[in-house]
Every structure is written in C-alpha cells, then in structure tokens.
Amino acid sequence: MTLTIYNTLTRQKEPFQTLEPGKVRMYCCGITVYDYCHLGHARTCIVWDVVRRYLEWRGYSVQYIQNFTDIDDKILNRAREEGTSMEDVSERFIKAYFEDMERLHVRQADAYPRATQTMDGIKRLVYELEQKGYAYPANGDVYFCVCRFHGYGKLSGRKLEDLQAGASGRVDLEDPEVAKKKYPFDFALWKAAKEGEPSWESPWGKGRPGWHIECSAMVRERLGETIDIHVGGSDLIFPHHENEIAQSEAVTGKPLAKYWLHNGMVKVGGEKMSKSLGNFITIRDLLDRPIDPMAVRLFILQAHYRKPVDFTDEALEAATNGWETLKEGLLFGHKYGKQLGWEDFTPVSHSLKQHETHKCRNQVPATASRFQEAVDDDFNFAGGLAVLFEIAKELRKEGNLLVHQGTTEIPADELETQWHILVELAAVLGFEARPEEESDRATDLTDEEIEALVQKRSEARKAKNWAKSDRLREELKERGITLIDQPGGVTNWHRN
RNA sequence: GGCGGCAUAGCCAAGUGGUAAGGCCGAGGACUGCAAAUCCUUUAUCCCCAGUUCGAAUCUGGGUGCCGCCUCCA
C-alpha cells in the first residue's frame, strides 16, 4: 500500500516518496510567542503531531523541527504594554506553549529553534541573497527582490501581475517602509534597528531579521537544503511560505521542500478563529472548563485536516461523548484483562511494539490494515477513527456482557488481540486512556458490606417494600456502586 | 477584482463512477415492581439545473450559497 498525500505545491495527491529511504525530514512553522495559544494553534499542533506519529508507525524515521518566532512587532508591543522585555514575553509564552501541548498530549519536536538563536544562519542567508543579486539594501533595511525570482507565486498560485492588481488601493505609498521598496511586494529580509528595540549587529548595520527569513535559515541549518515535508496552517501559504521558497531556492537553486502540507482553519460561527477578530478561545481556557484534552483531539481529528472545522459547544459535547466510548475500549484490558486470564494485559506503550508488528505484516489483522488503508489516503484520520470506534464499541459490549452476565461472546485471546490493536492504533492518533483516572473513584465500602446491603435490598424487594429497596439502591449509587437486577431476582453489582 | 476551497441525515463528518463509513443526539423493542445498566433494531439518495455514462454523491458545464488567502495570522 502506498501513502498518498496532497501537495499544495502541485495541487494534487501524490505518492509519498522520501528523499532518503526510510527517513523523513519535516518542518513545521510554529507560533509567534506573544500570547497564549488558541484552538487554531491546537489544531495545527495536533494534526502534524499525528502525521508525524503515523509516519513513524509506517516505519519511517522522522526528524521533526518546529520553530518559535521570538522576534516580532507583536512581542515588542506586548513587552511595551507590560513594561517588560521581549525576552520576558517570549520566554513566558514558550513556557505556556509547552504546558498547553503537554496537556494536549502533543509530542515534543526534536528541536525548537528560535529566531534569536539563529542569527548567524539568517545573516548568512541575507548575505548570500545579496551576493546573488536577489536582495538589495535600503537605508539599513534589506529587501528581497520578488521580480528577480522567477518561481515566485508557484506555491500560492499567484502571478505577480495579479498581486499588483490586487494590491492597488491597499498599498499605502506614504508608508516609509513601502517607499523604500523597489516593488510593493518585495519583502524585508532585515530591518534596521529602531530606537529602544532589540537589535543585532550585521553588515547592514544594527537591526533584526524579517519574519520569513528565520524559517529558511532554520530549515537549512537543521534539516538541509531540501526537506521532505514542510507544514503549517493554510493561512501561511501566502505570503509566508511563498517567501520562504523564494529566499531558500534563490540561494540554493534546489527545492526547499518536496511536499507542502497545510491544515485548514478552525472557525467560530462560520468565521476563522483569530486574534484580530477576537473570537478565539485559548487552549488553557478550554481545558480548564474542564474539557478532556482527548476530546479536543477527537474533535480535531474527526475532520479532515485540510478542511475548515467549525467550533461549537455541540461539537465539543459530541467529541466528549465520543471520547468516552473510545476510552472504555482503551480501558478494557485494564479492567477485565485479569479476569479474562490474559497473560499480559499491560498495554503496549505508544513508543511501540509496532515496528515488530511491521515485521509480520502478513499477520496484521484486517482491522489494522483497514486503518492503514484509510489513513494512507492523505491522512484521512476520520476514516481511521471509524476503525477504532468499531473495535472500541465491540470491546465495550464484551466488557458489559462480562459485568452483566459474567461471560463474553468472543474468546478471551481474541479480545486480547483486539485490545492490543486498539491501544496501538489509538496511540498512533495520540489517544491514551489512563487507568488510574478510573480507579480513583473507588468506594470506601468493602465487598462484604456491599453484599450485606444488596442482600437487605433483595429482602425488601421480596416483601415488595419498594420504598426501602429503592432507598438502598440510591444509597449504594451515591457510594459508587451500581446495581444490576437480573431476571430471576438475582442482583449483580459493580463498582463504578 | 485576483487566486483557492467547500456544499452529504437533527448536528458533526468520511466516501470521489456501481445504488451512502463513523461519531453525537434521538426513536422503537427486550428486560424490570419502577428504574438504572445492558442487549437488539432503527434514522439520508448526497445544494439546484443540464450533460457524459449501462450506471454519478462521485466526471463535465452552468447556477446558487458559504469560507479562506491576497495585511499580521496556525
């Protein structure tokens, strides 16, 4: 089976082939650290986290880099408002970022380069662009000359003429920065220092880098001149990624990335969630409601990554309920493994036995291959989730049968296999259920005490003293015991 | 104005030529003193029009509606 992915660059699905066998070099445009992350950021991080996990599950060794933009007007503005420094602001929100991502169960990238730590690489790129005639200085700024780069617009499907036409009326010629440019669409590689702002020494005088150049420099420094996959939000296609391509390819003469992937936006009330519209909800606010992080992940993963997804309370509730179902399946082994006499009911952790699974692909059960078949088609996680739900629902049913009837329909060893597959596939999507969350709610009653109360209730029932029997049932319920009346007057019970 | 995308049940959402995955919500039934839990069953012809085809949600053309990008943006 072949993994096929949609490439923004070619606007079609292509079979995935790495530059180097078995290895994937992947770069994700991260965030500008001037505020807490919102659900839109969460989507980006979760989607590419899962892409990475999936590639690894498919047997690739993935090198995954994500940057932090820690030089920017917004950060400076915030620092000014607070009376603190740029470093102070960026450090704080980088810390917050990691806290949020940990809660969302997003795995850490292999490295998180920052603009302020990539200064040499940035200056080298600007210098080389200038040497090759793609850049020109203007009063301490340095601009990229868009007209000189012939591939400009290839990613976003724009022509220079269209851009110019579209810009008429938008470009403010009075703006001093615009006035320095030869063409309105030239963009800054380096900006001259302003009074009271952080700056770095450079051949063009004191200043700081433009936004786009840092990614070009980081990719080159960390992953090389051409990488396999470059990802980010679809709102970065133009101008950010277009400019990255221009800068990098003008210098190296090689493609910056083979595949360009972009995730769709999160919407609220039909509109894009964004800072400027003020319709955003931060990850921490959402999780503090509280919403289970896994429900958030499910909400994100149930939509195809390229499509926009609408955030509503209803959708969130559906995801929360859906996660409950999935969770019950994932906890099956912990709850019933012992009872079913499994030899080994510890779950395979997400760091995975899957490589071994790969070695015996011919034995991989049909469910796992259906999962792979779905996800191989441009990361159709929703399709893969359907497979997970199938298993989870079956396990839940078998677990219930065990509780209610004391026996399962499916043989124990088969259930064990199913469960292991479920746990493994769920981990590929980043889902994990922790058994301790469940056992914490244990009651203080001993089995004997419960039995005694159940017996008392049975007697009340026999005497048709419904008030008393209902009171006893209610009492036990409050103490975490669920009663199950069965035909023939037998009452089973279990701790919640 | 330019470029791109989307339109599938009450809601969310896969599917991209052979008569519609999955999730959520709901309905009916079994069981029960009632309930809870559980089990079983059940909910669409795919925005509109025309065309191609033996056959289209799926391809082509037209229309309508919505969204994104074109300025910082995940």
Side-chain angles (χ1 to χ4, degrees):
Chain A
M1 282 195 285
T2 321
L3 171 60
T4 306
I5 60 184
Y6 181 87
N7 191 348
T8 306
L9 192 61
T10 58
R11 281 148 212 262
Q12 57 188 17
K13 287 186 191 175
E14 299 173 7
F16 181 64
Q17 285 179 319
T18 56
L19 298 166
E20 206 180 313
K23 284 194 175 173
V24 177
R25 277 167 293 186
M26 182 167 166
Y27 181 89
C28 175
C29 277
I31 53 160
T32 302
V33 283
Y34 72 104
D35 204 347
Y36 294 110
C37 287
H38 59 61
L39 194 57
H41 301 109
R43 184 180 194 191
T44 296
C45 296
I46 289 171
V47 162
W48 305 122
D49 172 56
V50 176
V51 164
R52 175 200 193 187
R53 289 170 188 257
Y54 185 69
L55 289 170
E56 290 182 351
W57 183 72
R58 287 289 258 106
Y60 295 100
S61 149
V62 182
Q63 205 182 349
Y64 183 58
I65 309 291
Q66 184 180 345
N67 75 308
F68 285 125
T69 297
D70 61 350
I71 311 172
D72 176 88
D73 284 339
K74 290 192 178 114
I75 306 174
L76 285 166
N77 289 339
R78 179 126 192 178
R80 219 168 275 138
E81 282 165 22
E82 294 178 349
T84 54
S85 67
M86 188 172 79
E87 292 74 25
D88 188 87
V89 173
S90 56
E91 282 302 329
R92 186 157 18 106
F93 289 111
I94 284 172
K95 188 164 167 277
Y97 172 87
F98 283 120
E99 288 166 4
D100 291 344
M101 290 307 138
E102 194 181 338
R103 290 175 79 184
L104 287 174
H105 216 244
V106 170
R107 276 174 62 199
Q108 289 217 0
D110 293 308
Y112 291 94
R114 305 180 192 185
T116 53
Q117 296 166 353
T118 316
M119 219 44 82
D120 288 344
I122 289 171
K123 285 188 275 193
R124 186 157 72 97
L125 261 184
V126 178
Y127 176 77
E128 286 174 61
L129 283 167
E130 197 182 16
Q131 290 301 301
K132 295 197 174 189
Y134 288 101
Y136 58 90
N139 292 338
D141 292 352
V142 182
Y143 292 97
F144 185 92
C145 185
V146 163
C147 301
R148 284 268 297 132
F149 183 72
H150 293 301
Y152 197 78
K154 66 181 178 184
L155 181 71
S156 54
R158 277 155 230 260
K159 300 183 189 108
L160 229 38
E161 310 88 75
D162 295 339
L163 282 171
Q164 245 121 14
S168 55
R170 274 178 205 271
V171 176
D172 180 10
L173 295 171
E174 303 293 306
D175 186 327
E177 195 176 306
V178 171
K180 287 191 228 171
K181 296 179 183 178
K182 287 185 184 168
Y183 300 97
F185 287 93
D186 291 350
F187 55 90
L189 299 168
W190 190 262
K191 294 176 176 180
K194 286 179 195 153
E195 191 60 37
E197 290 185 357
S199 61
W200 286 259
E201 293 291 351
S202 83
W204 313 278
K206 279 192 161 193
R208 60 183 169 102
W211 175 35
H212 316 295
I213 195 72
E214 67 180 61
C215 289
S216 286
M218 289 168 187
V219 170
R220 191 188 196 190
E221 211 164 72
R222 303 279 178 157
L223 297 170
E225 294 186 330
T226 300
I227 64 172
D228 295 285
I229 303 178
H230 194 128
V231 304
S234 61
D235 52 355
L236 296 184
I237 295 172
F238 189 90
H240 184 57
H241 288 164
E242 195 70 70
N243 291 353
E244 255 185 85
I245 289 176
Q247 294 160 344
S248 294
E249 299 189 359
V251 164
T252 66
K254 296 172 190 165
L256 172 57
K258 194 169 172 190
Y259 303 96
W260 287 85
L261 276 57
H262 295 94
N263 62 282
M265 300 290 102
V266 173
K267 300 196 299 174
V268 179
E271 277 186 318
K272 178 184 167 183
M273 178 181 286
S274 72
K275 287 285 165 64
S276 44
L277 286 168
N279 60 352
F280 62 93
I281 171 159
T282 65
I283 295 170
R284 47 191 56 203
D285 283 349
L286 190 64
L287 297 183
D288 287 344
R289 275 186 183 189
I291 298 289
D292 192 311
M294 290 294 143
V296 176
R297 186 173 276 265
L298 185 61
F299 165 71
I300 300 288
L301 260 22
Q302 273 192 315
H304 186 89
Y305 77 92
R306 280 194 279 124
K307 281 195 182 181
V309 58
D310 221 324
F311 174 76
T312 59
D313 286 330
E314 208 183 355
L316 208 56
E317 195 190 328
T320 300
N321 292 337
W323 166 241
E324 282 301 319
T325 300
L326 217 45
K327 188 163 79 176
E328 284 188 57
L330 290 169
L331 291 173
F332 182 87
H334 301 286
K335 280 167 102 167
Y336 310 116
K338 217 172 210 168
Q339 192 175 344
L340 289 167
W342 293 357
E343 303 245 320
D344 168 29
F345 54 89
T346 47
V348 257
S349 82
H350 54 267
S351 59
L352 308 200
K353 287 220 164 148
Q354 86 258 120
H355 298 300
E356 288 149 57
T357 316
H358 263 269
K359 284 179 204 153
C360 49
R361 264 286 164 219
N362 52 337
Q363 285 176 20
V364 170
T367 39
S369 34
R370 278 195 295 127
F371 173 83
Q372 182 171 323
E373 200 177 327
V375 182
D376 265 0
D377 181 11
D378 194 28
F379 302 115
N380 183 355
F381 300 128
L385 271 169
V387 178
L388 296 199
F389 271 103
E390 243 170 70
I391 310 175
K393 286 209 155 184
E394 177 137 294
L395 289 178
R396 181 176 66 176
K397 179 183 157 187
E398 291 296 319
N400 286 330
L401 287 175
L402 193 60
V403 169
H404 287 256
Q405 298 171 14
T407 175
T408 60
E409 283 177 354
I410 298 172
D413 58 336
E414 201 174 309
L415 289 172
E416 187 175 0
T417 308
Q418 293 269 41
W419 181 63
H420 279 283
I421 294 169
L422 177 65
V423 170
E424 174 180 322
L425 297 183
V428 174
L429 300 183
F431 291 107
E432 197 182 328
R434 301 202 171 89
E436 52 275 17
E437 289 169 14
E438 291 295 292
S439 55
D440 280 350
R441 287 189 280 137
T443 160
D444 53 333
L445 291 170
T446 65
D447 286 9
E448 290 70 32
E449 287 168 326
I450 296 166
E451 295 285 5
L453 286 166
V454 169
Q455 186 53 39
K456 263 175 84 180
R457 174 168 170 276
S458 293
E459 281 159 19
R461 287 182 75 209
K462 264 183 200 148
K464 295 199 193 292
N465 187 346
W466 308 130
K468 186 177 178 188
S469 86
D470 288 351
R471 201 180 62 239
L472 283 165
R473 181 170 66 196
E474 191 56 32
E475 194 181 310
L476 280 163
K477 187 181 172 189
E478 275 166 21
R479 300 178 78 166
I481 306 299
T482 301
L483 298 188
I484 303 156
D485 290 336
Q486 298 210 304
V490 181
T491 299
N492 290 342
W493 60 270
H494 66 87
R495 297 165 195 273
N496 292 341

